[in-house]
Amino acid sequence: MYIKKISHPSGLLDEIEGSVQGHRDGHGFLIRDDSEGDIFLSPNEMRAVLHKDRVKVRIVRQDRKGRPEGRVVEIVERPPQPIIGRLLNEGGIWIVAPEDKRYGQDILIPKVGIGAGKPGQVVVVELTEPPALFGQPVGRVKEVLGEIDDPGMEIDIAVRKYSVPHEFSAACLNLARELPDKVRPQDSKDRIDLTDVPLVTIDGEDARDFDDAVYCEPAKIGKAKGWRLLVAIADVSNYVETGSAIDIDAYDRATSVYFPRRVIPMLPEKLSNGLCSLNPEVERLCMVCDMLITAKGDIHAYQFYPAVMYSHARFTYTEVAAILANTRGPEAIKRKARVNDLLNLHDVYRALLSSRAVRGAVDFETTETQIICDDNGRIEKIVPRTRTEAHRLIEEAMLAANVCSADFIQTSKHPGLFRVHEGPTPEKKDLLRNYLKSLGLPYTVSDEPKPSEFQHIAQATKDRPDAQQIHTMLLRSMQQAIYTPINSGHFGLAYEAYTHFTSPIRRYPDLLVHRVIKAILAHKKYQLPALPLPGEAHAKLAKRLQKNKSGAQMDDAPRIKMSPAEQQAWEAAGLHCSANERRADEASRDVEAWLKCKYMREHLGEEYSGVVTSATSFGIFVTLDNLYVEGLVHITELGGEYFRFDEARQELRGERTGIRYAIGTRVQIQVSRVDLDGRKIDFRLVNPAEEFSPRQMREKGPGKQGGSRNDGGMARGALSAAEGPKSKSRPFNARKAEGGKPATRHGKVSPKGAPSKSAGSKKSSQARKSRR
């Protein structure tokens, strides 16, 4: 690569602080604290530092594209970071090969430091000597996790890899043991008695903790028809006192983490599955959002109060959907006493749904998956989560309660955490506009777009063959939601104020919202406990929010007055909860990617049909039909010609044949390689573009082979994966599949070396009500 050295230009002598992010190829990047562009660190610079180290860097040169390259001038901090990897003995020398390839260097282990570890086992290493320019890092085995193929090993690795707290402190467990096993008579003092109200829970078949219960009945609002909707939420705050040992552990975790077959809970099991869970036919303490909803789905009035309830039934989504579909069916007969209540819930849901349409809230249907494993942790199948009327019914009820919570906190002018989802940044708006224009669509987004604009485009294009491609681009143009005390609305849901109230068993922000609501009801002010401030991270958050102010937002809501110290404390809590939410998602995706890689190792050489879910400059990502597994078809596997990446259309286009690969294109692939450590699956096309001359392409016509597209942008004719593996169109090289890069084909190709994408990008998520 051409490098241009610059002598003493302004800014090059400045020392820039940030965190090191390693790359599996040996180089790295400095992730700057000031949120500016990353700085490249060469493999030589990475020899003396490790992934996650905090360093100061000076920019020493720029390449011909103006990208900065840095030199490490000071190591500010080496955070304690246990490294997970395989213990190996190579020629009498013990080393640990890190499972996370971003560390880039093997760890030397003195013989006295291997402990009980055996060759090939997965271990946790504690560093005793950091890396140096001319020496590898040295460590000792701190913990032996077991053999690589042990059931649940992927989860043991993930919780340590992402530093997910997975063991409660002794003080937390002791305090939990002191709590009662059930609601006592004295616990019901000063609470509304709702035990005669037939509240019910509606959750998935595999749910163990029940946060919410619902009940609905017709009501008159003036002279008009309406409903009274009760959403009762587990009163976790009654048992988890601010600053207690349980509270400290809950804050540290900030969220429950969901893996296939296992949950790392935020609260000890006695609380999460017992005392706080709204289990059927037992009394439980709860906080209630009691709402009056009009026939148009507007919230006419609401009130909050503590209560004691008795769950009259535990329903599953499948069961409720069956009852709503057939009120005379076997499920309805079995639950005859509750059928009318469910019909009332369905009626208020339809009203709330109409209000959503009027608001213009974004509502894209996406496929969420669930991994079904056997007792040994091996994937048996991957199935889509079907969203029924029952799922949507509960979701709308929870949204209504969350909106009331945000409004109650805001109108009371009490500090608290809001769930904020800002509009797209200017860069993402421009990318979306160019994309829509390149497709010739008569739609665009304004400078300050509203959610209704996105929903209008989604509705107007839903019947197009390339609807999936368009909707994916709409989703990608949006930002991630965060927790913050500064309310700027929820763009996707089209709410001026929104927060999380409905899942305090598994989300710490909800617990804080409960405490704030209770303080307001008692005419007091809730004081946050002494939580650790994030220091540099706080400054980074403030700059990021300032940077994104130019993005589209909801109309400015009334600001809640806070002292600088108070605002910093709430911002710190919001930053911590947001970061841990991301951490939980990353750990869950990592485990799913591991499981999918192990599953696909058993299907090397087999052929499947799939659809392109992402196009990049280095290839296309394809998700297999029915299996919902994603892998990369590298650009070298697309055929013997030069492919250009069209950023506006988000597609790869062949210069000679004109063949195009874009989101939604159907293809036929062969599983060529699986990298378990890298969580990557490589595919090759069964009929790459080079096998078709321009004349053959014309004779076949559009849509006749896997990579071509019709005018609507989606290919036709791919075989269904449900038919099972097909006969091989090309010999399969098993040696190539187990290691090394997939074989390339002759002809010009685009440059390689682009970043890879994990195999598990299709996340098997919890019910949508827990993510909003």
Side-chain angles (χ1 to χ4, degrees), residues 66 131 183 186 249 289 339 354 356 417 423 451 473 477 492 600 613 637-638 673 693 728 758 764:
V183 175
Q186 61 265 37
D249 277 25
C289 181
V339 169
S354 65
R356 173 194 277 259
L417 285 184
M473 288 300 297
S477 69
M600 294 309 294
T613 48
E637 292 291 329
L638 293 181
R673 180 174 176 266
S693 68
K728 313 298 181 288
S758 70
S764 170

Side-chain angles (χ1 to χ4, degrees), residues 210-249:
F210 307 111
D211 290 288
D212 53 88
V214 290
Y215 170 74
C216 183
E217 63 184 15
K220 285 286 187 181
I221 301 176
K223 295 183 179 180
K225 175 186 175 183
W227 294 272
R228 181 191 181 196
L229 174 63
L230 272 66
V231 174
I233 305 298
D235 191 358
V236 175
S237 62
N238 185 81
Y239 299 107
V240 182
E241 295 182 5
T242 298
S244 68
I246 299 176
D247 190 41
I248 292 170
D249 277 25

Side-chain angles (χ1 to χ4, degrees), residues 633-639 683-685 688-689 730 742-745:
V633 180
H634 195 271
I635 198 165
T636 55
E637 292 291 329
L638 293 181
F683 299 148
R684 64 163 61 100
L685 289 186
R730 295 196 273 158
T744 60
R745 300 176 66 83

Side-chain angles (χ1 to χ4, degrees), residues 364-375:
F364 300 147
E365 284 296 330
T366 57
T367 301
E368 298 177 352
T369 58
Q370 178 181 9
I371 295 177
I372 308 297
C373 298
D374 59 21
D375 294 337

Side-chain angles (χ1 to χ4, degrees), residues 176-189:
R177 278 192 286 268
E178 295 173 5
L179 294 171
D181 295 322
K182 59 183 181 180
V183 175
R184 300 164 301 185
Q186 61 265 37
D187 298 331
S188 302
K189 185 181 178 183

Side-chain angles (χ1 to χ4, degrees), residues 304-353:
F304 288 92
Y305 51 82
V308 58
M309 61 160 285
Y310 180 92
S311 176
H312 287 244
R314 181 268 202 260
F315 283 101
T316 66
Y317 292 121
T318 304
E319 191 179 10
V320 171
I323 292 172
L324 294 177
N326 183 7
T327 55
R328 296 182 180 180
E331 294 86 357
I333 293 172
K334 181 181 175 182
R335 302 281 200 168
K336 186 177 180 180
R338 302 275 73 84
V339 169
N340 198 51
D341 296 340
L342 293 179
L343 292 176
N344 288 333
L345 281 167
H346 193 244
D347 288 342
V348 77
Y349 150 71
R350 287 189 292 190
L352 290 168
L353 205 60

